[in-house]
Amino acid sequence: MDTPQPRSLKEKQRQERELLILQVAEDVLLEKGYRDTSMDEIAARVGIAKGTLYLHFAKKEDLMLAFFEREMVGILTCLKKIYATHQSVQSRLEKFVKTIYSDPKERRGHLMYIFINSDDFTMTVKHQAQPIFAEIVQEVSALLDEGKANGEFDTLIPTPLMTTSFFSLLSPRTYRSLIERGYDPKEIMRYSLGIYFRGIGGQFSFATEQQS
Amino acid sequence: MDTPQPRSLKEKQRQERELLILQVAEDVLLEKGYRDTSMDEIAARVGIAKGTLYLHFAKKEDLMLAFFEREMVGILTCLKKIYATHQSVQSRLEKFVKTIYSDPKERRGHLMYIFINSDDFTMTVKHQAQPIFAEIVQEVSALLDEGKANGEFDTLIPTPLMTTSFFSLLSPRTYRSLIERGYDPKEIMRYSLGIYFRGIGGQFSFATEQQS
Amino acid sequence: MDTPQPRSLKEKQRQERELLILQVAEDVLLEKGYRDTSMDEIAARVGIAKGTLYLHFAKKEDLMLAFFEREMVGILTCLKKIYATHQSVQSRLEKFVKTIYSDPKERRGHLMYIFINSDDFTMTVKHQAQPIFAEIVQEVSALLDEGKANGEFDTLIPTPLMTTSFFSLLSPRTYRSLIERGYDPKEIMRYSLGIYFRGIGGQFSFATEQQS
Amino acid sequence: MDTPQPRSLKEKQRQERELLILQVAEDVLLEKGYRDTSMDEIAARVGIAKGTLYLHFAKKEDLMLAFFEREMVGILTCLKKIYATHQSVQSRLEKFVKTIYSDPKERRGHLMYIFINSDDFTMTVKHQAQPIFAEIVQEVSALLDEGKANGEFDTLIPTPLMTTSFFSLLSPRTYRSLIERGYDPKEIMRYSLGIYFRGIGGQFSFATEQQS
DNA sequence: AATGAATGAGACTTCATTCAT
DNA sequence: GATGAATGAAGTCTCATTCAT
């Protein structure tokens, strides 16, 4: 605390760069997958030396973990914000998914899927990120329980099953294949959500929005 | 034909060995993912020398492809057998999924999921296996269309969306997490199918089987 | 000697096969060079199993050595036959070279060059084949000495130098490059010999044959 | 330009290292031939790790190519320098050969021979180095043509044949065998050149220098 | 005797990680 | 702090040689 300003200046630069690294790591991860993401490429794209990467993150795993956490914190924040809303549970979950998927190229949604479903990545990294991961799952579970309690969803389906189904909704690969066939992201979203919510006992009319 | 026994004996051993390799490759693939599956490890687990692996498969990719095809041919056969049955489309698809997942550790089901959803694996191998892959997807699509035609499923949902949802049903990772929490494989299966079929407009009572 | 006929029958077959192996080895060696000549390919081209190759030759080196000796014995025989002729030394040496190069694709000539000049091959093999190699060199040296003695060649040039120059006459590579440019094998031969013999003090008219 | 010294220092070291690698590659190539030259051995002899080699040259072929070009550029430069001299063509070509062979162990001369005559090496590498290779051949051809025009050499011998003969003059293998027998490098050179130049119609007295 | 499946040393190459500058 | 050259373990694949049948 004896040198607060200079430190915070340096510190600010440092954090900006760290952010940049995380963003680049995200880019590369989404493009190439975990194993084909090399530290060399990340450093090159960020425009720093490889060694500098290691000043921020001691291991590739740590970078990926930090990156994962950054994303997951964002998702969790979004989830909590929506959680506090006064709407039906279904509306809130729909809102959540749509928000997650509303960034360019649906990065956040795909990342969430990868974190939860990918082996390559998950095996190496996730066991270290249990807490936040558990919190996200917990939050969604709580919402689903609320939905069961207020009659929106089917009470016969165990919540954990509802939850895992929720997170399996949209695999990036199949998503991409649909995009390639010319489907509109919003349409894909709507139908996927529709299948899910009707499946767990919610109300969903595929016709309605089509008519309006 | 002059030396039928000796040749078939050798050949039998060869095929047994090849089968063993494919099984081990499957094990390792399921445990570690495509990129972390090394030829060294496969050879070591099979108990043969590295070079021997290459007598059976000229490249890692070839092994993975052979292995993929073996599994997918099995799945396709199963699918066609069931396709010819006289039952509701839903029953047939349920039967299909249950059959696929009925082997120990649900390997086939998980593999199908990986083949369809994994990037690592798919990018390297699937382009070579397009035909069979496309056939499986086509077969399921046809069934879903039949279901739409006979009133079982919602005609407002585009078939490709129904199809991709179908193949996203059970990610191995979430499946495993449910198993770890003590859920019964059959139960997981039933609820997942239930959510899916109700989601696409089919009939499904989560209560019924519970009562019987 | 107790079973002379059967043994000689078997033995004959054996020798025929050995001859075939040597011929195939020659083919492959000339096509691909020593290091790219694999035992697999030789066996496959001969139409026998790899193991059978090893019944004839304990090591790749041995095969190459045997093959080298076969060729060199042929060349030596040819050389001795010509040696005994009653002609000028130059005529005899010319005859020798033309004979060596008179087989299809000039195999023997190229092989002689390779044996004498190639590093790859020679380092591995030649030290084992000293005797015959030395004999060929000796024979040529003797002829050159005879030529020096009877006034055909320049006595100021040390015989060993004349000899090595003689064996460096036609490298397969440059030979091939000339063929590719459309030169006639006989023409190449004539000019090369001409340069050499004139070089060592012999008589050679490049014009003569052209005119006739 | 803001950091000229540090950059040039690093760069200098780098180039020194690269030079060292090229020299070692040359050593090993001359000792063992192309196919028996392993990246491991080069690294070990240079005293660096295998990976470091790949910082300088992305592939074995690239190293060999770079090395080839370095040598050939040297030879070409030397050739052009001599070309511009005012002397008889024969004197200039003699000067060229003597210069090429004047380094310790006659490395350059042997390398030139290998580049032009070795299959192993040439097949892999030379097609990438055509331009410089062609230029060297062209330069020598031009000199020989000049010699034919001014009456030094026999006009009846086609220039391409003169050229290939020129490059076949001294095979490293036979050269070494002469050295082993106690001949002096200069003597070998003189006689070989003598045979060649007399052979193509030039003037050469084996006696002269002997007397002086 | 003949086979060819099996072996394993060794080649090339990549990349996460370290460390002297 | 920042750099990027250096490292070396690990991965894929080849091929001479052996050996059970």
Side-chain angles (χ1 to χ4, degrees):
Chain A
M1 296 295 173
D2 48 345
T3 54
Q5 274 340 89
R7 179 171 294 172
S8 79
L9 183 65
K10 282 263 181 188
E11 185 57 22
K12 199 181 158 197
Q13 285 185 347
R14 183 192 153 78
Q15 286 191 1
E16 271 167 18
R17 187 166 53 199
E18 198 154 306
L19 208 65
L20 186 55
I21 292 171
L22 293 170
Q23 279 165 357
V24 168
E26 185 179 306
D27 286 346
V28 186
L29 180 70
L30 282 173
E31 273 176 42
K32 311 207 166 179
Y34 181 64
R35 292 303 304 273
D36 282 329
T37 296
S38 75
M39 298 299 266
D40 272 278
E41 179 161 7
I42 293 172
R45 286 212 207 177
V46 173
I48 59 177
K50 218 184 336 183
T52 311
L53 229 47
Y54 283 86
L55 294 178
H56 291 265
F57 307 100
K59 299 188 173 305
K60 184 183 179 183
E61 206 181 314
D62 292 349
L63 165 55
M64 292 305 178
L65 182 61
F67 152 48
F68 167 87
E69 283 191 324
R70 185 183 77 115
E71 292 299 333
M72 285 306 163
V73 164
I75 284 171
L76 185 58
T77 305
C78 166
L79 189 52
K80 283 185 170 166
K81 209 175 291 169
I82 280 160
Y83 187 91
T85 309
H86 300 292
Q87 286 175 290
S88 71
V89 171
Q90 182 171 331
S91 303
R92 280 181 278 166
L93 283 171
E94 282 180 31
K95 188 80 177 24
F96 167 61
V97 173
K98 283 174 183 164
T99 308
I100 292 300
Y101 276 86
S102 66
D103 54 352
K105 290 196 172 182
E106 299 79 33
R107 299 167 93 180
R108 290 229 301 280
H110 290 344
L111 284 168
M112 188 175 74
Y113 186 93
I114 289 170
F115 292 135
I116 292 172
N117 290 294
S118 154
D119 274 356
D120 249 20
F121 186 75
T122 306
M123 284 174 180
T124 319
V125 170
K126 202 171 69 186
H127 68 278
Q128 297 212 36
Q130 268 305 320
I132 187 131
F133 170 74
E135 210 174 342
I136 289 173
V137 170
Q138 178 46 42
E139 206 78 11
V140 169
S141 292
L143 271 167
L144 290 168
D145 275 333
E146 191 184 326
K148 282 161 84 174
N150 69 20
E152 282 183 67
F153 307 140
D154 194 327
T155 53
L156 291 172
I157 307 172
T159 309
L161 273 157
M162 276 189 184
T163 310
T164 56
S165 275
F166 178 79
F167 285 114
S168 298
L169 263 182
L170 276 177
S171 95
R173 181 134 213 100
T174 58
Y175 183 88
R176 251 178 271 140
S177 78
L178 290 171
I179 293 290
E180 278 163 21
R181 294 189 190 200
Y183 285 92
D184 178 67
K186 285 186 185 163
E187 220 179 347
I188 299 172
M189 186 96 316
R190 198 164 63 78
Y191 284 110
S192 300
L193 288 172
I195 293 172
Y196 177 69
F197 284 118
R198 270 221 320 223
I200 64 170
Q203 302 294 322
F204 203 94
S205 167
F206 290 104
T208 329
E209 297 184 36
Q210 210 88 314
Q211 291 170 336
S212 63
Chain B
M1 295 296 173
D2 48 342
T3 54
Q5 275 339 90
R7 183 169 294 172
S8 77
L9 183 67
K10 282 261 178 187
E11 186 54 24
K12 200 181 156 195
Q13 284 185 349
R14 182 193 155 76
Q15 288 191 359
E16 271 168 18
R17 166 83 54 101
E18 199 154 306
L19 210 64
L20 185 56
I21 293 172
L22 290 170
Q23 280 165 357
V24 169
E26 188 178 303
D27 285 347
V28 185
L29 180 70
L30 283 172
E31 271 177 43
K32 311 209 166 178
Y34 180 65
R35 295 303 301 273
D36 281 325
T37 294
S38 81
M39 295 299 266
D40 270 13
E41 177 160 8
I42 293 173
R45 285 214 207 173
V46 174
I48 58 178
K50 229 182 321 185
T52 309
L53 228 46
Y54 285 87
L55 293 179
H56 292 264
F57 305 100
K59 300 191 170 308
K60 183 184 179 182
E61 205 179 316
D62 292 349
L63 166 54
M64 291 305 180
L65 185 61
F67 153 48
F68 165 86
E69 283 193 324
R70 186 182 75 117
E71 293 298 333
M72 284 306 164
V73 164
I75 284 171
L76 186 58
T77 305
C78 166
L79 188 52
K80 284 185 169 167
K81 209 175 291 169
I82 281 159
Y83 187 90
T85 309
H86 300 291
Q87 286 176 289
S88 71
V89 170
Q90 181 171 330
S91 303
R92 281 183 276 168
L93 282 171
E94 283 180 30
K95 188 81 176 28
F96 168 61
V97 173
K98 282 175 183 164
T99 308
I100 292 302
Y101 275 85
S102 65
D103 55 351
K105 290 195 172 183
E106 299 79 35
R107 301 166 96 179
R108 289 227 304 279
H110 289 346
L111 285 169
M112 187 175 74
Y113 187 92
I114 289 169
F115 291 134
I116 290 172
N117 290 293
S118 152
D119 272 354
D120 254 15
F121 186 76
T122 304
M123 285 174 180
T124 318
V125 171
K126 203 170 67 186
H127 69 278
Q128 295 212 35
Q130 265 306 322
I132 191 138
F133 170 73
E135 212 175 343
I136 290 174
V137 171
Q138 178 47 41
E139 207 80 11
V140 169
S141 292
L143 272 168
L144 290 168
D145 276 333
E146 190 183 328
K148 282 162 82 173
N150 69 20
E152 285 183 63
F153 307 140
D154 194 325
T155 53
L156 292 172
I157 307 172
T159 309
L161 274 156
M162 277 188 183
T163 309
T164 56
S165 275
F166 177 78
F167 286 114
S168 298
L169 263 182
L170 276 177
S171 96
R173 185 125 215 108
T174 57
Y175 184 89
R176 253 177 266 141
S177 79
L178 290 171
I179 293 290
E180 278 163 19
R181 292 185 189 207
Y183 284 92
D184 178 67
K186 286 185 185 165
E187 221 179 347
I188 300 172
M189 186 95 318
R190 201 163 60 78
Y191 284 111
S192 300
L193 287 172
I195 293 172
Y196 177 69
F197 285 116
R198 272 222 317 226
I200 64 169
Q203 304 293 323
F204 203 94
S205 166
F206 290 105
T208 329
E209 297 185 35
Q210 211 87 316
Q211 293 169 335
S212 64
Chain C
M1 296 298 172
D2 48 343
T3 54
Q5 276 338 89
R7 180 172 292 174
S8 79
L9 183 66
K10 281 263 179 188
E11 186 55 24
K12 198 183 161 196
Q13 285 184 349
R14 185 191 152 78
Q15 287 191 0
E16 272 167 18
R17 186 164 54 200
E18 201 155 300
L19 208 65
L20 186 55
I21 292 171
L22 293 170
Q23 278 165 359
V24 168
E26 184 178 307
D27 285 345
V28 186
L29 179 70
L30 282 173
E31 273 176 43
K32 312 206 166 179
Y34 181 63
R35 291 304 304 271
D36 281 330
T37 294
S38 75
M39 296 301 265
D40 272 278
E41 179 160 5
I42 293 172
R45 285 212 206 176
V46 173
I48 59 176
K50 217 184 335 180
T52 310
L53 229 48
Y54 283 86
L55 294 178
H56 290 265
F57 307 100
K59 299 188 172 306
K60 185 182 178 181
E61 206 180 313
D62 292 349
L63 165 55
M64 291 303 180
L65 182 61
F67 150 50
F68 166 87
E69 284 191 324
R70 184 183 78 115
E71 292 298 334
M72 286 306 165
V73 164
I75 284 170
L76 185 58
T77 306
C78 166
L79 189 53
K80 284 186 169 165
K81 209 175 293 170
I82 281 160
Y83 188 91
T85 307
H86 299 292
Q87 288 176 287
S88 71
V89 171
Q90 181 170 330
S91 302
R92 281 183 275 167
L93 281 172
E94 282 181 33
K95 187 80 177 24
F96 168 59
V97 173
K98 282 175 182 164
T99 308
I100 292 300
Y101 275 86
S102 67
D103 55 352
K105 290 193 171 185
E106 300 77 36
R107 301 165 92 182
R108 290 227 304 280
H110 289 344
L111 285 168
M112 188 174 74
Y113 187 92
I114 290 170
F115 292 134
I116 291 174
N117 290 294
S118 154
D119 273 356
D120 249 21
F121 185 75
T122 305
M123 284 174 179
T124 319
V125 170
K126 201 170 71 186
H127 67 278
Q128 297 211 35
Q130 269 304 323
I132 188 132
F133 170 75
E135 210 173 344
I136 288 173
V137 171
Q138 179 45 42
E139 206 79 9
V140 170
S141 292
L143 271 167
L144 291 168
D145 275 334
E146 190 184 328
K148 282 162 83 175
N150 69 20
E152 284 183 64
F153 307 140
D154 194 327
T155 52
L156 291 173
I157 307 171
T159 310
L161 272 156
M162 276 189 184
T163 309
T164 57
S165 274
F166 178 77
F167 286 114
S168 297
L169 262 183
L170 275 177
S171 97
R173 182 134 213 101
T174 57
Y175 184 89
R176 253 178 269 141
S177 80
L178 289 172
I179 293 289
E180 278 162 21
R181 292 186 188 206
Y183 284 92
D184 178 66
K186 285 185 185 164
E187 221 179 349
I188 300 172
M189 187 94 315
R190 199 163 63 80
Y191 284 110
S192 301
L193 287 172
I195 294 172
Y196 178 68
F197 285 117
R198 272 224 314 227
I200 63 170
Q203 302 296 322
F204 202 94
S205 166
F206 291 103
T208 328
E209 297 184 35
Q210 211 88 313
Q211 292 170 335
S212 63
Chain D
M1 295 294 173
D2 48 344
T3 54
Q5 274 340 89
R7 183 168 294 171
S8 78
L9 183 67
K10 281 262 177 186
E11 186 55 25
K12 200 182 158 196
Q13 284 186 348
R14 183 193 154 77
Q15 286 190 1
E16 273 167 17
R17 167 81 54 98
E18 201 155 301
L19 210 64
L20 185 55
I21 292 171
L22 290 170
Q23 279 165 358
V24 168
E26 187 178 303
D27 286 347
V28 185
L29 180 70
L30 283 173
E31 270 177 44
K32 310 206 166 181
Y34 181 65
R35 296 301 301 274
D36 280 327
T37 295
S38 81
M39 295 300 265
D40 271 13
E41 177 160 8
I42 294 173
R45 286 213 206 173
V46 174
I48 59 178
K50 230 181 319 186
T52 309
L53 229 46
Y54 285 87
L55 293 179
H56 293 264
F57 306 99
K59 300 193 173 304
K60 183 183 179 181
E61 205 180 316
D62 292 350
L63 165 54
M64 292 303 181
L65 185 60
F67 152 49
F68 166 88
E69 283 192 325
R70 185 181 76 117
E71 293 299 334
M72 284 306 164
V73 164
I75 285 171
L76 185 59
T77 306
C78 165
L79 189 51
K80 284 185 169 165
K81 208 174 294 168
I82 282 160
Y83 187 93
T85 309
H86 299 292
Q87 285 178 290
S88 71
V89 171
Q90 180 171 330
S91 302
R92 282 182 277 167
L93 282 172
E94 282 179 33
K95 187 82 176 23
F96 168 60
V97 173
K98 282 175 182 163
T99 309
I100 292 302
Y101 275 86
S102 67
D103 55 351
K105 289 195 173 182
E106 299 78 33
R107 300 166 96 181
R108 290 229 302 281
H110 290 345
L111 285 169
M112 188 175 74
Y113 187 91
I114 289 171
F115 291 135
I116 290 173
N117 291 294
S118 153
D119 273 355
D120 253 16
F121 186 75
T122 304
M123 286 174 179
T124 317
V125 170
K126 203 170 69 185
H127 69 278
Q128 295 211 36
Q130 265 306 322
I132 190 139
F133 170 74
E135 213 174 341
I136 289 174
V137 171
Q138 178 47 40
E139 207 78 11
V140 170
S141 292
L143 273 167
L144 290 169
D145 276 332
E146 191 184 326
K148 281 162 83 173
N150 69 20
E152 284 183 65
F153 306 140
D154 193 327
T155 53
L156 292 173
I157 307 173
T159 310
L161 273 157
M162 277 189 183
T163 310
T164 56
S165 275
F166 178 78
F167 286 114
S168 297
L169 261 182
L170 275 178
S171 97
R173 183 122 219 111
T174 56
Y175 184 90
R176 253 178 268 139
S177 78
L178 290 171
I179 294 291
E180 279 162 20
R181 294 191 192 197
Y183 284 92
D184 178 65
K186 285 184 186 165
E187 219 179 348
I188 299 172
M189 187 96 317
R190 198 164 63 81
Y191 284 111
S192 300
L193 287 172
I195 293 173
Y196 177 71
F197 285 117
R198 269 220 319 222
I200 63 170
Q203 302 295 323
F204 203 95
S205 165
F206 291 105
T208 326
E209 297 183 36
Q210 211 90 313
Q211 293 170 336
S212 66

